[in-house]
Amino acid sequence: MIRQLPYRLNWAVLHRESFRVGRTARFHVLRYGFAVFLIFQMLVLLPTFHLPSAQVHPVGQIITDGPSQLDIRRAELLAWTAFWGRYALLLLQELFWWIILITPAVTAGALGYEKEGGTLLALFGTQLTSAEIVIGKMLGRLSFVLWPALAALPFLVFATVLGEISPVGVFLALALLIVVLLAVGAASMLTAVWTRRTSDAILACYAALVIFAIGTVVVFPNSPLIEWFDPGSRLEQIVTGSGHWLRALLLPALLLGSVAAACLTLAIWRLRPACIGQQEQRAKRWLWAYRRPIGKDPVAWRERHAIGLAPVPWLRMIPSWMGWLGVFCFSAIFAYDAANYATSNGLNSNLQDANLIGAFQSLQRAAAGRVDGHVHAMGVILLVGGSIIIAVRCSNSISEEKRRKTWEDLIITPLTRKQIMDGKRRGIIYAAGPPLFAYVLPMFGLASLTGASGITSAAIWLVMAGLAMIAAAYIGISWADSNEGLSWEVAARLHEMIFSSAMTYASRYIPINEEWALAKRHDALPVHSDAGGILLLRPDGQVLEVAWGEETPAKPANSYRWLVARVSAARRYPELRVLLPRRPKHAENCPTCGGWGLNQYSESPGKTLCRSCTGLGWIYVAPPPATVNGVATGSPGS
């Protein structure tokens, strides 16, 4: 009944968002993950509760004679009640931080997916108003945050009863949290309207929260806003009714409600003009976003600038400059802590007193042994961490192309397979240069405290880490090249076809031929045969080339024969049509075969693959260079 309420109110967007969010795997992960966290927290906190074993005198001396049973039971009840009261406040604080941390990641991308998919303009063409679109999407995305948080309600009710807390106070605290949820959601929707991409909207929301927090602490250190970063005291006033609890409730509620109303009104007002303008204009590029020309190594350029060094896809939403800054901050914090330890906390104490001269003098008196140990630790982190990241990134290079659905487009270019793999390796190594420099800069600054010996030690670690990264790149690319597989559906179908064919030819009534004998020997499926030999396709995606003869060993096929095997398998077995590469947008029909993919003028017309298009039926033609104000921007060799 509740799920059908948006549909009955004719809020089609809310109905769609609520159902789409409820079917995602991330929703179930957050929902059950938060419930598991609460259960684990309960199991951890309960053993920490200890009942009082003695009566304490008001002046702090423990009475040696035993208290009465009534005093013991009263002390136990008070301790038990205080424990559950603190637990209820802890749950409310956790719900507050759950809203602050999860809401921007969920709500800020509500419009970004529509813009990237090109479906937002279709929504504008319907009878839906801007208010229905914005409010429907916001409420639908907030259910992603609200439904997992409901797992805390049974624990909160249980703690409220045992802690003897007023239910009215808990209800008012939950109402304030709902206002916080709406305010953060409305601000996130406003950010989604003003940005073009989902990643930009999410990063802008978190950056605004961080800037607001740091700016308030630094610029307004004595303002009442500082108390807002301690939700525990404010929620405790509301729940217990102590102090100025009414002001602690009404003032934030009015302020956050005004922020939510202003952001929501502005988002509704600017939705259509802003989104239509973003579709028509080119995206602005910041100074750090400018890239060098493609040049003569397009694969390396793409790996370095378009894909980047991040080993997992969800990390690629972070801009490169922000990743470099994060690496530098991590290394700088490690180096500062090491320098402070080497100066016996003299560096930190002098900086707190704004004594720069004293801080510099304390660095000059740093203990060399302590500095060398931390330099070696930073070198080990660089060596191990850098090698692992490079190896994982290289080993996932082909799977990343397949995830982006660009691998087939890449292998049909004039580039050989070796050129593609070498370009990928070079691009990943080039992409590791800026973060490597950002990491070693604080490392060399720390090593300079011990003079030439420390700098030499840091340089040795840098050389060792660089060689290890290069070796990891070679190993990762080799592994990716040798383990290029198929989807599990195609692999299962290949296993079934190989098994059924082997059983068929094992029958006494069907004589086995030489082609199937070689295929059975290598546990593969024959897909193509000519004067050069037989091409076999294995379930792991590997293509083997076997010359005629029983004693000839099989060898991996080159890139041309690999493509021939795939096309032949798709034409010979209809179940393997998914192996055909996707036809690009700018491809043209092959003039030799007329788009059929088969040679019509051979000795066996209609059975031999066309050599011009390798049986595809089309030839890729590079798109014309884009022009801006009549000037070409993507000319070859630029």
Side-chain angles (χ1 to χ4, degrees):
M1 184 68 181
I2 297 178
R3 288 179 177 267
Q4 295 180 356
L5 182 61
Y7 182 76
R8 295 187 177 185
L9 293 176
N10 199 22
W11 289 357
V13 179
L14 174 57
H15 182 264
R16 176 174 176 269
E17 288 291 325
S18 60
F19 270 87
R20 187 174 67 174
V21 168
R23 293 175 181 154
T24 57
R26 291 176 295 177
F27 173 77
H28 297 289
V29 170
L30 280 181
R31 182 178 182 180
Y32 296 110
F34 191 60
V36 170
F37 166 74
L38 293 175
I39 296 174
F40 178 77
Q41 178 181 254
M42 175 73 72
L43 296 177
V44 171
L45 291 179
L46 277 178
T48 61
F49 172 74
H50 298 285
L51 294 176
S53 58
Q55 184 181 0
V56 181
H57 195 266
V59 297
Q61 298 178 353
I62 299 178
I63 299 177
T64 56
D65 54 344
S68 64
Q69 292 294 328
L70 181 60
D71 294 335
I72 292 176
R73 294 293 178 258
R74 184 182 295 110
E76 291 178 354
L77 180 60
L78 291 176
W80 185 253
T81 304
F83 170 78
W84 286 108
R86 292 192 301 269
Y87 181 67
L89 292 176
L90 176 63
L91 286 177
L92 291 175
Q93 294 180 38
E94 289 174 349
L95 289 176
F96 173 81
W97 291 113
W98 171 269
I99 292 172
I100 294 297
L101 297 178
I102 301 298
T103 304
V106 174
T107 314
L111 294 175
Y113 292 107
E114 302 286 352
K115 294 176 183 178
E116 295 172 0
T119 57
L120 187 59
L121 295 179
L123 286 177
F124 291 161
T126 62
Q127 296 179 354
L128 296 172
T129 62
S130 299
E132 291 176 342
I133 295 175
V134 173
I135 297 176
K137 282 191 168 293
M138 185 187 73
L139 295 180
R141 290 305 180 103
L142 289 183
S143 65
F144 192 92
V145 183
L146 187 59
W147 283 107
L150 293 179
L153 287 184
F155 297 91
L156 186 59
V157 172
F158 190 72
T160 302
V161 174
L162 294 182
E164 297 182 359
I165 302 175
S166 173
V168 177
V170 175
F171 178 77
L172 293 177
L174 291 176
L176 180 60
L177 293 180
I178 294 296
V179 176
V180 173
L181 176 66
L182 294 176
V184 178
S188 302
M189 287 300 300
L190 180 60
T191 308
V193 170
W194 280 345
T195 54
R196 298 186 61 176
R197 299 190 306 172
T198 303
S199 58
D200 295 341
I202 296 175
L203 289 175
C205 287
Y206 285 112
L209 290 175
V210 173
I211 292 173
F212 175 75
I214 296 177
T216 304
V217 174
V218 175
V219 181
F220 306 104
N222 299 322
S223 65
L225 292 176
I226 298 297
E227 300 179 359
W228 286 47
F229 297 104
D230 186 15
S233 61
R234 188 166 295 272
L235 292 173
E236 184 177 2
Q237 291 180 13
I238 298 173
V239 171
T240 60
S242 61
H244 303 284
W245 68 271
L246 188 60
R247 186 176 65 181
L249 172 65
L250 295 180
L251 183 60
L254 291 176
L255 183 58
L256 292 174
S258 302
V259 171
C263 292
L264 205 58
T265 303
L266 190 58
I268 294 172
W269 175 48
R270 295 299 302 169
L271 175 65
R272 296 176 185 265
C275 295
I276 293 176
Q278 290 168 3
Q279 295 288 334
E280 296 176 353
Q281 67 182 3
R282 294 185 60 187
K284 297 181 180 179
R285 301 186 64 86
W286 300 95
L287 181 61
W288 55 75
Y290 283 100
R291 303 165 179 170
R292 57 180 301 178
I294 296 178
K296 299 181 179 180
D297 199 351
V299 178
W301 181 91
R302 184 171 182 271
E303 291 290 330
R304 179 180 180 182
H305 296 288
I307 301 179
L309 187 63
V312 291
W314 62 270
L315 283 176
R316 297 189 184 106
M317 64 182 296
I318 302 176
S320 299
W321 65 270
M322 190 174 293
W324 304 340
L325 182 61
V327 172
F328 176 79
C329 291
F330 170 77
S331 180
I333 292 173
F334 194 98
Y336 175 80
D337 183 71
N340 187 45
Y341 174 72
T343 58
S344 300
N345 203 28
L347 176 62
N348 193 17
S349 60
N350 286 306
L351 289 179
Q352 287 180 354
D353 297 336
N355 186 6
L356 299 180
I357 298 177
F360 180 74
Q361 292 176 353
S362 63
L363 289 176
Q364 290 179 336
R365 297 190 300 267
R370 295 182 177 182
V371 172
D372 291 336
H374 284 84
V375 169
H376 294 326
M378 295 185 70
V380 171
I381 294 175
L382 177 62
L383 176 65
V384 177
S387 302
I388 292 176
I389 292 175
I390 293 293
V392 172
R393 176 66 181 85
C394 290
S395 61
N396 293 336
S397 58
I398 295 181
S399 61
E400 177 63 22
E401 296 285 355
K402 291 182 177 180
R403 187 185 70 85
R404 293 170 174 254
K405 298 181 180 180
T406 55
W407 176 242
E408 290 82 3
D409 298 339
L410 188 61
I411 61 177
I412 63 176
T413 60
L415 298 173
T416 63
R417 193 179 185 87
K418 185 176 184 303
Q419 290 175 338
I420 294 174
M421 294 294 107
D422 292 343
K424 284 182 170 293
R425 185 187 65 251
R426 287 192 301 269
I428 295 172
I429 292 177
Y430 294 159
L436 178 64
F437 177 77
Y439 182 87
V440 300
L441 194 60
M443 177 179 170
F444 273 89
L446 177 64
S448 63
L449 298 179
T450 58
S453 60
I455 295 178
T456 303
S457 177
I460 292 174
W461 278 111
L462 177 59
V463 173
M464 292 174 57
L467 295 177
M469 290 182 191
I470 295 175
Y474 275 93
I475 294 173
I477 287 294
S478 301
W479 187 89
D481 192 16
S482 60
N483 290 274
E484 181 198 346
L486 304 172
S487 62
W488 68 270
E489 296 92 347
V490 180
R493 185 58 182 161
L494 272 173
H495 275 294
E496 180 183 352
M497 295 172 66
I498 293 171
F499 177 77
S500 61
S501 301
M503 293 299 296
T504 301
Y505 280 94
S507 174
R508 69 180 65 181
Y509 302 104
I510 302 179
I512 188 170
N513 55 19
E514 185 177 4
E515 178 178 325
W516 278 102
L518 293 175
K520 182 180 179 181
R521 177 183 173 186
H522 296 90
D523 191 20
L525 187 71
V527 294
H528 182 77
S529 60
D530 51 20
I534 305 174
L535 295 179
L536 307 176
L537 179 62
R538 291 179 53 84
D540 58 359
Q542 187 179 11
V543 177
L544 301 178
E545 185 173 6
V546 185
W548 295 107
E550 289 289 343
E551 302 300 329
T552 305
K555 62 179 181 179
N558 55 27
S559 58
Y560 173 75
R561 301 283 282 177
W562 180 89
L563 183 59
V564 169
R566 292 244 174 164
V567 176
S568 300
R571 288 184 173 274
R572 186 172 180 178
Y573 305 101
E575 300 91 341
L576 303 179
R577 293 287 297 176
V578 294
L579 297 179
L580 281 177
R582 180 172 51 89
R583 178 166 178 162
K585 178 180 179 181
H586 299 280
E588 296 181 355
N589 289 334
C590 177
T592 303
C593 62
W596 289 96
L598 300 175
N599 193 351
Q600 304 295 329
Y601 303 100
S602 61
E603 298 179 357
S604 302
K607 296 183 178 181
T608 307
L609 297 181
C610 175
R611 296 187 61 86
S612 300
C613 61
T614 323
L616 295 174
W618 46 265
I619 297 177
Y620 178 74
V621 178
T627 58
V628 179
N629 297 328
V631 179
T633 60
S635 58
S638 59

